[in-house]
Amino acid sequence: MSPSSPPARPLPGPFRSAAVIGGTHGLGRALALAARERGLRTVVYGRSAALPDADGLLPRSLDLCDPQSVRTAPVDVPSPCYVLWVAGAFLKKPLVETTEDEVEQLTRLLFSGPVLFLRRLLAEAEGPVHLITIASSSSWKRRERESLYCGLKAAQATFVRNLVPELLAAHPENRITLVNPGGLAVPDFHTGLALDFGAMMDPGEVAEIIWNIAADQRRAFTEVQILRSREPGSEGTPEVSYGARVPQTPEEPGAATATGGTAPLPIQHH
C-alpha cells in the first residue's frame, strides 16, 4: 500500500486471521497483502512459499499438484479465520492437443487439490470460517480453446455454491463469498499470450474490492462478478455486480437469438 493510499477498512466480526491458498503470485498475493494491511495474521500457501516472507506474511509450502503435499502441509491457522481459495493457472489449448499430464495437473491445481486441502482446513477449524473463493467469469462465459480451464472453473463455482448448506450446518456464523473476476493484469498467469495488459484489471485494486465486499457481507452467501470495462477511456476499470450469471450459449454471439434461442437473463445489480 502506498503512503497516499487510504487506510485499509477494518474487518468486522470475529475473523482475525487468514489462510490464502495460492497467495504467492498475482491476485492471491494482492489479497494476502491486503489481509495483512487489515491486521489479519496471514498464512500464505504455495509452492514457492518455503522461505520467510519479507512482507510479514507467514509462508507454508503447499504443492496442490502433489497429493502427499496436500495431505501433509500444516493447517495450523487460528480460528475464526478467512480462508481464500485463489490458486490457479491458465491453459489455452484445444482438448485434443492437451496432454494427459496437462489434464491431470490442471485438475489437481484448480480443483481436486484445493478441495482436498480445504477439507483438512475445515475439519481443523474450531470456530466460524469465511470462505472466499476466487473462481472466474470463464465459468459462465463462452470461450474458445479453453474447455478444460472453463470446465474446472465452473466446477469450482458449483462446488462452493453447494458447500454452503454444509458450512451453515457446521456453524451458523460461517460465511461464503464466491467471486468471478474477469481479466487481470498478471502476465505470469497468461504465459505465452500476446495480450494488452493495460486494458485489464489491476490485481491490487480487485483485491481491495474483494476485501471490502467481505467486510460488508452479512448474508451467509454472496456471489459477485468483477468484470473489466471495455468502454473507451475506461478500459480495465473494475465493474462490480451481484448474483450468478446464466452461462452464455456456445454459438457465436447473436447466433442463438438469430435462430430463435433465448438471450441470457439480466443479472441483479447491487
Side-chain angles (χ1 to χ4, degrees):
M1 178 176 291
S2 66
S4 60
S5 299
R9 289 176 55 183
L11 293 163
F15 307 103
R16 290 295 175 262
S17 63
V20 186
I21 304 172
T24 56
H25 300 287
L27 179 59
R29 182 72 175 181
L31 285 164
L33 292 172
R36 185 209 60 190
E37 290 292 333
R38 285 162 170 75
L40 299 175
R41 181 180 184 274
T42 305
V43 177
V44 170
Y45 288 97
R47 279 183 291 190
S48 57
L51 300 174
D53 196 302
D55 289 315
L57 305 174
L58 304 173
R60 300 286 187 272
S61 181
L62 170 65
D63 184 351
L64 292 168
C65 295
D66 179 0
Q68 181 65 15
S69 179
V70 172
R71 285 193 292 266
T72 60
V75 289
D76 56 339
V77 181
S79 300
C81 67
Y82 292 93
V83 175
L84 294 91
W85 174 358
V86 200
F90 186 65
L91 181 66
K92 191 176 187 71
K93 183 184 287 189
L95 183 62
V96 295
E97 297 177 12
T98 306
T99 67
E100 182 177 340
D101 183 65
E102 286 174 328
V103 172
E104 182 175 344
Q105 294 301 305
L106 196 66
T107 300
R108 285 180 174 176
L109 178 61
L110 294 186
F111 190 70
S112 59
V115 167
L116 289 170
F117 190 66
L118 182 62
R119 172 179 170 269
R120 292 185 58 214
L121 275 175
L122 294 176
E124 291 293 324
E126 297 179 353
V129 168
H130 188 149
L131 174 62
I132 301 174
T133 302
I134 310 301
S136 172
S137 61
S138 292
S139 65
W140 54 266
K141 281 191 172 183
R142 174 191 178 273
R143 301 293 195 192
E144 294 183 7
R145 297 184 294 130
E146 298 177 20
S147 54
L148 179 60
Y149 174 78
C150 293
L152 291 169
K153 282 298 180 180
Q156 178 185 4
T158 300
F159 168 80
V160 168
R161 292 187 195 102
N162 287 280
L163 185 63
V164 172
E166 297 178 33
L167 290 179
L168 293 181
H171 199 293
E173 292 185 47
N174 281 345
R175 296 290 179 266
I176 305 91
T177 308
L178 172 58
V179 183
N180 295 305
L184 294 161
V186 183
D188 290 348
F189 184 77
H190 300 279
T191 303
L193 298 179
L195 301 174
D196 179 9
F197 292 104
M200 303 177 84
M201 296 185 294
D202 175 71
E205 186 176 0
V206 172
E208 289 296 322
I209 291 172
I210 292 170
W211 276 116
N212 288 340
I213 289 169
D216 291 337
Q217 183 169 334
R218 298 296 178 267
R219 301 179 62 183
F221 174 71
T222 292
E223 182 167 353
V224 61
Q225 316 291 329
I226 306 179
L227 306 179
R228 56 187 172 123
S229 172
R230 299 178 185 273
E231 291 293 325
S234 300
E235 296 91 340
T237 301
E239 297 180 335
V240 179
S241 59
Y242 288 75
R245 286 285 189 111
V246 175
Q248 292 179 341
T249 176
E251 292 92 351
E252 289 287 345
T257 302
T259 58
T262 58
L265 296 174
I267 63 173
Q268 176 184 355
H269 291 271
H270 183 74

